[in-house]
Amino acid sequence: MAMVNAVVTILAMATFLGICWWAFSRGRRQANQEAALLPFALPDEGRNDKNLGGSNE
């Protein structure tokens, strides 16, 4: 049973390191930069172009 635990732990660590390597690889740089700017590309939620209630000044 200890051997199975060791193999599963090694496989999980290799998977984790592989995902980290893929996510931070040079080929993903452009996609990561685009994803980082996505929150700033969304319109503001509370913003309305209509003047609801209030004066017409």
Side-chain angles (χ1 to χ4, degrees):
M1 190 66 170
M3 186 66 159
V4 174
N5 287 340
V7 170
V8 170
T9 300
I10 291 170
L11 286 175
M13 184 179 291
T15 302
F16 174 75
L17 292 174
I19 291 171
C20 288
W21 174 78
W22 170 79
F24 295 106
S25 65
R26 190 177 300 231
R28 299 270 317 148
R29 181 173 295 214
Q30 181 66 32
N32 288 341
Q33 287 177 347
E34 289 175 9
L37 294 175
L38 278 176
F40 303 111
L42 298 174
D44 292 336
E45 292 179 16
R47 185 175 176 193
N48 288 330
D49 291 335
K50 297 178 182 177
N51 186 6
L52 299 176
S55 66
N56 292 328
E57 296 180 0

